Amino acid sequence: MAINLFRPDASSLLPVDGLRLGVAQAGIKKPGRYDLLLIELAPGTEAAAVFTRNRFCAAPVTVAREHIAGGRVRALVVNTGYANAGTGEEGIRRARETCAAAARLLGCSPMQVLPFSTGVIMEPLPVERLIAGLPACAATLAPDNWLVAAEAIMTTDTVPKACSERLELAGVPVTVTGIAKGAGMIHPNLATMLGFIATDAGIARPLLERLTRQVADASFNCITVDGDTSTNDALVLMATGRAGVAFTREDQAGFDALREAVIRVARWLAQAIVRDGEGATKFITVTVEQGRDEAECRQVAYAIARSPLVKTAFFASDPNLGRILAAIGSAGVEDLDVARVHLYLGEVRVAENGGRAAGYVEAEAQRVMREPEITVRVALGRGSATATVWTCDFSYEYVKINAEYRT
Amino acid sequence: MAINLFRPDASSLLPVDGLRLGVAQAGIKKPGRYDLLLIELAPGTEAAAVFTRNRFCAAPVTVAREHIAGGRVRALVVNTGYANAGTGEEGIRRARETCAAAARLLGCSPMQVLPFSTGVIMEPLPVERLIAGLPACAATLAPDNWLVAAEAIMTTDTVPKACSERLELAGVPVTVTGIAKGAGMIHPNLATMLGFIATDAGIARPLLERLTRQVADASFNCITVDGDTSTNDALVLMATGRAGVAFTREDQAGFDALREAVIRVARWLAQAIVRDGEGATKFITVTVEQGRDEAECRQVAYAIARSPLVKTAFFASDPNLGRILAAIGSAGVEDLDVARVHLYLGEVRVAENGGRAAGYVEAEAQRVMREPEITVRVALGRGSATATVWTCDFSYEYVKINAEYRT
């Protein structure tokens, strides 16, 4: 059961002028569920994306990378069920067929379509069923389909993930709405994580590309469920420009506020992925402070957030916090002086001077461990840099879900 | 249940002349089990060790490092139940007290005693109970106590781990016998892994130190259970010299044979740790070939061996082998050409040319997946280097054991 994450109300998801979404039950893997999403972008919309760094990236990632570099995007096609990864040349061919079919329906060039897939790896994409489902997507295109769109891209997700922000820039109301999916194979540099975020503000392409990287680093690149990096991850930012306010430079008035709004949406979606992490029962925020630089703070934070021993202790609500010290010590910070490290669980000071803190009372830590949302704070005593990552615990259910994924 | 690993026969464990072992039920954590081991070394014995690289190393590791650098070792004291790690200055004091107490019993200097601990982290070592148990250890010192010694150092191990080799060097019979413990927090650069290996051959100190590193790299540094690196790991090699054959140089006749024998013992013990991995149901050998260098082969092998998704698929006997491709792709080999990568499961060719192999039949992979011992072989198509690591699958039981470790 997801941690403090609930099905959003459809009315809370604000349409983004210039963008329409259509879905279909294409029976790609299983019948009776939405499994295909078409997003149509009005002419003039700018889009930018970041993709997985996995060398075995999926065929749709290869094709989407090529197409987005080519010019203006007019549509996105997203299927669940099959990842079309580890499928060689035939996989590329099928991703291209998908684009061609969507282009015919919408009257644009196949190069203007980005394909995305999520699901099982190394099995052929049933592209005929996908293409057969596209007309139904086109027929249902509407600006207020965000919730069903979020449903159509789910795999092991238990809750559709979508949220909106509204802000005012130079007196003009601007909307930011996004959806995401992902629950396993989640690790920095994305995961079987798909995120699609749109705004009706206008953002010039180079600025939008920079913003996409900043947003990814502040959200989806700060989460881990199981330390695995997927073949299919992608985050796409789309700016339709229909709101009547447009940005070309970072120092333009209002851009900071827009960036913060996009980051808030992205961060909410990224945290929603962790809250819905496979088998998760606890949402854990790991903050590492007083590092020499952000990189070493992230390194220590991920060493804690990835440790199966730490994660099973959280699952059991067992303050076996020495495991956190062990994770810090093995994070690879070679000249770490453990005598200067402080560890806090919530407000409880757990460790100092290389050992248990004076005045530490296990019952207090026990109380924190029982909460569904827990903060781990580490002070390294080496500098002033900080980093935060979000993760979840490791339960029987995680093993069960992943042992039985294909059945 | 451990995979093809059985309680050794006491008679198969050969005494090493010059070394005696004594054990006690000291009630350090739980009553009614052997939990304290004393190893006494005859004068003239050389010892060398490698220790954990965890910055939060345990107090006994700090003290043992200092003592072994100081001169000739006469005794080792090993307790289970408490790791004496994350215990600050007080932990160091208690490790020193342990050495002093053993030294008084054996009539040597405290500096000649090495302390080792394994168990829960960040809780104080009950040093009074430990010291109170030492006379019973001294009273039972005998050369043929290897099996009960292996039992006395177990934590979550289900089978005591011990083995012997006998070989003839220049007409002289030489014995190598070792014990080890470990089942969780197991990862390269050791783990809550303790290994003690002795031979009655003589080996000069600098040569023994080099040998210890070579042996660790060929055995304990090639295993992973859960990717965690413990605070307490240690491997100690002891050479009593009583057999009447002694080595001072690597190129001396017979040294290669001795090294191979020690590596065989160490590798058997390291593999035994994986076979007895927490909750393990499969023993998996991951070999990566055709790399540019050994380092990148190890990197890819560990990416596979550490992946929770790969490990849960093995637990389920599900040939969801795309997960292995995903692990290879995210191993960090930046210029990997996936079109040149070949993947084999046992003798079944699974992937080639960046996708599923022509002629791959899932039923054949399924058959291999059901075996208790499985080989994964990856050819990177980049060079001629090779590396092998051993790991196990990831089961409900692993979560259970670690969620309930302290109860």
Side-chain angles (χ1 to χ4, degrees), chain A residues 324-345:
Chain A
I324 298 181
L325 296 190
I328 297 167
S330 65
V333 179
E334 288 305 329
D335 56 351
L336 182 68
D337 178 359
V338 299
R340 300 176 66 91
V341 172
H342 289 184
L343 169 64
Y344 295 81
L345 187 73

Side-chain angles (χ1 to χ4, degrees), chain A residues 102-385:
Chain A
R104 277 193 303 274
L105 277 170
L106 299 178
C108 64
S109 146
M111 290 290 290
Q112 295 182 294
V113 181
L114 307 184
F116 301 87
S117 298
T118 179
V120 67
I121 303 175
M122 225 178 66
E123 295 186 12
L125 176 73
V127 68
E128 300 76 15
R129 293 205 289 279
L130 191 163
I131 289 174
L134 280 174
C137 291
T140 55
L141 281 171
D144 56 357
N145 268 340
W146 283 99
L147 184 56
V148 68
E151 270 178 298
I153 62 175
M154 286 164 64
T155 49
T156 54
D157 304 62
T158 68
V159 179
K161 298 165 183 74
C163 81
S164 279
E165 286 253 346
R166 176 151 279 175
L167 67 165
E168 205 163 281
L169 298 176
V172 175
V174 167
T175 299
V176 181
T177 299
I179 58 174
K181 64 85 38 183
M185 234 192 211
I186 299 296
H187 196 58
N189 307 320
L190 311 181
T192 300
M193 196 296 294
L194 297 175
F196 304 102
I197 301 177
T199 178
D200 49 6
I203 309 177
R205 184 67 171 262
L207 186 58
L208 188 63
E209 286 170 352
R210 206 153 57 236
L211 181 64
T212 307
R213 286 191 298 272
Q214 291 167 345
V215 167
D217 281 342
S219 58
F220 296 103
N221 282 344
C222 299
I223 61 174
T224 183
V225 168
D226 52 17
D228 272 293
T229 301
S230 155
T231 48
N232 290 58
D233 308 324
L235 168 67
V236 183
L237 237 63
M238 295 159 282
T240 67
R242 294 297 182 92
V245 52
F247 297 93
T248 54
R249 299 186 334 267
E250 216 155 348
D251 58 0
Q252 215 168 318
F255 187 73
D256 277 351
L258 179 60
R259 173 169 42 211
E260 288 311 309
V262 177
I263 287 177
R264 273 197 304 277
V265 167
R267 211 172 254 174
W268 190 94
L269 292 170
Q271 293 184 1
I273 287 175
V274 175
R275 289 176 187 284
D276 198 17
E278 288 171 349
T281 72
K282 304 261 167 74
F283 178 82
I284 303 159
T285 301
V286 181
T287 296
V288 177
E289 305 169 344
Q290 301 180 4
R292 288 220 184 111
D293 51 38
E294 203 187 313
E296 75 174 26
C297 292
R298 285 172 76 97
Q299 201 177 324
V300 172
Y302 271 118
I304 297 168
R306 281 184 74 155
S307 160
L309 287 168
V310 170
K311 290 159 86 89
T312 48
F314 275 107
F315 170 56
S317 300
D318 176 11
N320 189 347
L321 301 169
R323 290 178 177 177
I324 298 181
L325 296 190
I328 297 167
S330 65
V333 179
E334 288 305 329
D335 56 351
L336 182 68
D337 178 359
V338 299
R340 300 176 66 91
V341 172
H342 289 184
L343 169 64
Y344 295 81
L345 187 73
E347 293 307 308
V348 179
R349 182 185 284 217
V350 174
E352 64 192 359
N353 299 321
R356 194 138 89 172
Y360 170 76
V361 178
E362 180 161 322
E364 289 178 16
Q366 177 69 68
R367 190 177 38 73
V368 177
M369 288 299 268
R370 284 206 200 94
E371 301 287 331
E373 309 225 356
I374 300 170
T375 298
V376 173
R377 191 155 61 82
V378 179
L380 296 178
R382 295 159 56 85
S384 58

Side-chain angles (χ1 to χ4, degrees), chain B residues 7 20 35 82 92 130 213 216-217 229 247 252 348 383 406:
Chain B
R7 187 183 169 81
R20 299 193 303 162
D35 56 5
Y82 292 86
I92 298 280
L130 191 163
R213 285 191 300 272
D217 281 341
T229 301
F247 297 92
Q252 216 168 317
V348 179
R406 299 199 313 169

Side-chain angles (χ1 to χ4, degrees), chain B residues 292-380:
Chain B
R292 288 219 186 113
D293 52 37
E294 204 187 310
E296 74 174 27
C297 292
R298 285 172 77 96
Q299 201 176 324
V300 172
Y302 271 118
I304 297 168
R306 280 184 75 157
S307 160
L309 287 169
V310 170
K311 291 158 85 89
T312 48
F314 274 107
F315 169 57
S317 300
D318 176 12
N320 189 346
L321 301 169
R323 291 177 176 179
I324 298 181
L325 296 189
I328 296 167
S330 65
V333 179
E334 288 304 330
D335 55 351
L336 182 69
D337 178 1
V338 298
R340 300 177 65 91
V341 172
H342 289 183
L343 168 65
Y344 296 82
L345 186 74
E347 293 308 307
V348 179
R349 182 185 284 219
V350 174
E352 64 193 359
N353 299 321
R356 195 138 89 171
Y360 170 75
V361 177
E362 180 160 323
E364 289 178 15
Q366 177 70 70
R367 191 177 37 73
V368 177
M369 288 298 269
R370 284 206 201 93
E371 301 287 329
E373 309 226 355
I374 300 171
T375 299
V376 173
R377 190 156 61 83
V378 178
L380 296 178

